Amino acid sequence: MDKRSKIALYIIGAVIVFMMIAEIAKPKALNWRNSYSAADKIPLGCFVLFNELETFSKGDVLVSKQSVYEYLKDQEFSEPKSLMLINNLVSFDNEESNALMKFVEDGNTVFISSSYFYGNVLDTLNVSVQKQYTDIYRKEAKNKFTSPHLQDNNRLYKDVIENSFFESIDTLKTTVLGTLTSKNEDDEDETHANFIKVDFGKNNGQFILHTNPFAFTNYHLLNDNENYAATVLSYLPKQQIIWDNNYKSGRKIITSPLRFILSNSALKWAFYISMFGLILFVIFRGKRTQRIIPVIKKLDNATVDFTRTIGELYYQHGNFTNIIQKKIQYFLEHIRTRYYLETNQFNSKFIDNLAAKSSNTKEETKNLVDYIVFLKSKPYHTEQDLIELNKKIEHFKRT
């Protein structure tokens, strides 16, 4: 490689290294994904809120990682609890709605902060939610409390917010605790309820509903809006809080194909035992079993094929004299190697010894030897001479 090529390679390598360093060193972009998970420190996570929640809870904060139905069906509370659900969307099926309403009927509190609600709960409470779809995340909104004593904690949310409000409420059972004021499409101020309390049941149970979950995210709690969130939570009764970590957009979900097996205790242990047994089988089987011996194919004996091919060539050319000479030579060699007789002279002694050792009669042996002598004396041979010689030799060898 010449000097110019080396320099070009060095430059290319340096550029690649520089690009790798720049990629590693560049600041990571902020993750603006809706999460509301207690473990997420991203702007729209609830790490800060969850770690400050003991201030509003009587005792340790309980964490639910199941659906409302699964969590509440086997629970028996000796004292009233407050269940907190914060997410951009909260949706309940029939079983979950019934479990939630029974929980409140027993004298507990449910706090829900969401931009949109869905389920039988809202129908039962005669409440409907409307979302302001214009300029999502950009429309300024003044979040205010109805109590005159809490006006200092009102906040103007300028960014990172979706403006949702209660379009209709049951005024006989509902108390408006806060409102939202924002500009409509005609640039006029509109005020709607966005924070309400609904009494439910005969045991002082209540639903506290709020339509601005962004107020509880890390972004706003760390940007001088913590007083508003704290004031909203101050409406919760002083009792133990159950933090919902299931109805979250940022909930960690196992995407493995083994999710169903690992979620079932019996199947999970069966899977583990099977894998352990398979590993043991591989270890011991690999040590005790001899390596497979490769089959070596026996080499083909090409001598016979070669001889047959050569004979066919001679026969096709009609050179019977050459074939007869080769056949006589081969037969005499057979006599020398098998019967250990000299083939220099074909006298009576040779004929007697050959007949005795080959188990042929003296007459048959003499005929064969005489015929060989006859053929050797002829200058030219015919096909019939070759056929006759072959018959006599084959007959001689069969005995």
Side-chain angles (χ1 to χ4, degrees):
M1 184 180 294
D2 57 12
K3 184 177 180 181
R4 183 176 298 176
S5 299
K6 290 182 178 180
I7 294 174
L9 287 177
Y10 291 149
I11 293 175
I12 293 173
V15 170
I16 293 174
V17 172
F18 176 77
M19 292 176 63
M20 292 174 62
I21 295 174
E23 185 68 23
I24 295 172
K26 74 175 184 180
K28 293 183 179 179
L30 280 177
N31 183 0
W32 289 97
R33 176 177 57 92
N34 289 330
S35 170
Y36 302 97
S37 173
D40 280 340
K41 298 180 181 181
I42 60 177
L44 297 184
C46 285
F47 177 82
V48 175
L49 173 65
F50 181 77
N51 284 275
E52 297 294 331
L53 208 55
E54 289 187 359
T55 306
F56 305 92
S57 177
K58 184 180 179 181
D60 295 335
V61 177
L62 303 177
V63 178
S64 169
K65 297 182 179 180
Q66 300 170 299
S67 68
V68 170
Y69 173 77
E70 291 174 328
Y71 182 77
L72 296 178
K73 67 178 181 179
D74 299 324
Q75 297 286 348
E76 293 184 3
F77 302 116
S78 58
E79 296 181 356
K81 309 290 183 185
S82 295
L83 174 62
M84 288 187 63
L85 299 104
I86 300 176
N87 197 40
N88 60 314
L89 169 65
V90 176
S91 175
F92 304 110
D93 59 25
N94 292 336
E95 288 184 339
E96 293 169 335
S97 298
N98 293 334
L100 203 61
M101 288 186 287
K102 184 180 183 304
F103 176 71
V104 177
E105 282 180 347
D106 293 338
N108 299 290
T109 299
V110 170
F111 173 81
I112 303 176
S113 181
S114 176
S115 298
Y116 188 70
F117 302 80
Y118 179 78
N120 293 341
V121 175
L122 290 185
D123 296 335
T124 303
L125 300 179
N126 293 322
V127 173
S128 63
V129 178
Q130 177 66 39
K131 181 182 288 187
Q132 191 178 53
Y133 289 97
T134 58
D135 296 329
I136 295 177
Y137 291 105
R138 293 183 177 86
K139 181 76 72 173
E140 292 184 357
K142 184 75 171 183
N143 285 251
K144 299 182 290 186
F145 298 99
T146 56
S147 173
H149 305 290
L150 301 176
Q151 297 305 304
D152 292 340
N153 296 330
N154 297 339
R155 285 294 182 273
L156 176 65
Y157 288 89
K158 296 182 178 181
D159 55 5
V160 191
I161 188 173
E162 291 182 10
N163 296 328
S164 297
F165 52 85
F166 295 103
E167 186 177 28
S168 64
I169 59 176
D170 186 348
T171 56
L172 296 177
K173 298 180 180 179
T174 303
T175 302
V176 178
L177 304 177
T179 61
L180 174 146
T181 301
S182 62
K183 300 288 186 180
N184 60 17
E185 294 181 357
D186 298 327
D187 203 30
E188 296 176 351
D189 286 340
E190 283 188 356
T191 300
H192 302 277
N194 76 330
F195 182 31
I196 62 175
K197 180 182 74 171
V198 183
D199 296 325
F200 192 82
K202 299 179 181 179
N203 297 309
N204 298 321
Q206 58 185 351
F207 283 93
I208 298 178
L209 307 179
H210 183 253
T211 62
N212 182 13
F214 294 88
F216 302 100
T217 60
N218 300 326
Y219 178 84
H220 285 298
L221 292 181
L222 298 177
N223 283 279
D224 299 328
N225 292 325
E226 68 279 2
N227 287 342
Y228 176 82
T231 304
V232 171
L233 295 180
S234 68
Y235 280 93
L236 295 177
K238 191 63 176 180
Q239 54 197 25
Q240 191 173 26
I241 291 176
I242 304 172
W243 171 266
D244 165 68
N245 216 30
N246 178 67
Y247 298 92
K248 303 293 184 186
S249 299
R251 177 166 62 100
K252 301 296 185 294
I253 299 175
I254 300 174
T255 57
S256 169
L258 298 175
R259 178 184 179 186
F260 176 76
I261 294 176
L262 298 179
S263 63
N264 186 290
S265 180
L267 292 177
K268 178 175 67 176
W269 280 107
F271 174 74
Y272 289 155
I273 293 172
S274 300
M275 293 302 297
F276 181 72
L278 181 61
I279 293 172
L280 288 180
F281 173 80
V282 171
I283 293 174
F284 287 97
R285 187 75 175 175
K287 287 184 177 181
R288 295 178 178 272
T289 304
Q290 184 180 2
R291 187 178 61 182
I292 297 175
I293 301 174
V295 177
I296 300 176
K297 190 176 181 181
K298 184 178 179 181
L299 296 176
D300 295 331
N301 186 359
T303 304
V304 176
D305 295 335
F306 176 75
T307 305
R308 183 180 295 109
T309 302
I310 296 299
E312 290 176 354
L313 288 174
Y314 278 111
Y315 186 79
Q316 289 174 3
H317 285 80
N319 193 349
F320 302 112
T321 299
N322 201 340
I323 297 175
I324 289 174
Q325 291 175 353
K326 295 291 191 300
K327 198 165 186 64
I328 292 173
Q329 291 176 3
Y330 178 75
F331 177 67
L332 295 179
E333 178 64 23
H334 172 73
I335 293 174
R336 288 192 294 269
T337 56
R338 182 166 184 175
Y339 304 121
Y340 304 102
L341 296 174
E342 294 292 336
T343 58
N344 296 328
Q345 294 181 353
F346 296 151
N347 51 27
S348 58
K349 183 179 179 181
F350 170 77
I351 294 174
D352 293 340
N353 291 335
L354 181 59
K357 288 190 175 185
S358 64
S359 301
N360 284 281
T361 62
K362 183 177 180 181
E363 183 180 358
E364 290 175 345
T365 305
K366 186 176 184 305
N367 288 335
L368 174 59
V369 173
D370 290 344
Y371 192 69
I372 291 174
V373 173
F374 168 71
L375 292 177
K376 292 180 72 174
S377 63
K378 289 181 65 175
Y380 301 103
H381 301 86
T382 63
E383 181 179 356
Q384 189 60 36
D385 294 335
L386 177 60
I387 294 173
E388 185 66 23
L389 173 64
N390 186 69
K391 286 182 179 180
K392 291 182 179 295
I393 293 176
E394 293 298 325
H395 178 75
F396 179 84
K397 289 183 176 179
R398 279 199 296 267
T399 56

